[in-house]
Amino acid sequence: TKIYEAADEVIAVGYEWNVAKRVLGDLKLDVLVFGEMQNEAINHILGFGRFAPVQILAMGSPVTSGNPSIDYFVSCSRSEPPLLASMEHSHYSE
């Protein structure tokens, strides 16, 4: 809820692919941050679209998306599984 309070605007895109695709496309975003992509099918599918020049996946699950449309993955050592946190980040494709 702190994110909602800090945001200038919050736009719900819904769960229908055609509606969500249109809404995101119409926004002409500079950056799009996905909070997660593993738990909701619509997030996973939308992640393969290119709705902004820079697309970021914030750590919803500590695994790579394997998605060529995601440019960056945001994580931290406390969110990573212990073994992976001590390794180089070669297990991420972003």
Side-chain angles (χ1 to χ4, degrees), residues 11-89:
I11 300 170
V13 298
Y15 290 96
E16 291 186 40
W17 161 249
N18 289 328
V19 174
K21 180 179 162 184
R22 182 180 43 77
V23 169
L24 288 172
D26 289 350
L27 290 172
K28 307 286 189 235
L29 300 170
D30 295 318
V31 177
L32 175 58
V33 179
F34 289 92
E36 64 87 22
M37 287 184 155
Q38 310 299 333
N39 298 315
E40 291 284 345
I42 189 72
N43 292 344
H44 182 76
I45 294 167
L46 286 172
F48 284 93
R50 179 56 77 169
F51 299 103
V54 176
Q55 297 193 157
I56 300 168
L57 175 56
M59 214 269 340
S61 299
V63 295
T64 183
S65 67
N67 185 330
S69 294
I70 300 299
D71 304 302
Y72 299 97
F73 185 88
V74 178
S75 186
C76 64
S77 62
R78 288 183 176 222
S79 299
E80 297 286 333
L83 177 62
L84 294 179
S86 66
M87 299 170 60
E88 290 184 28
H89 294 289

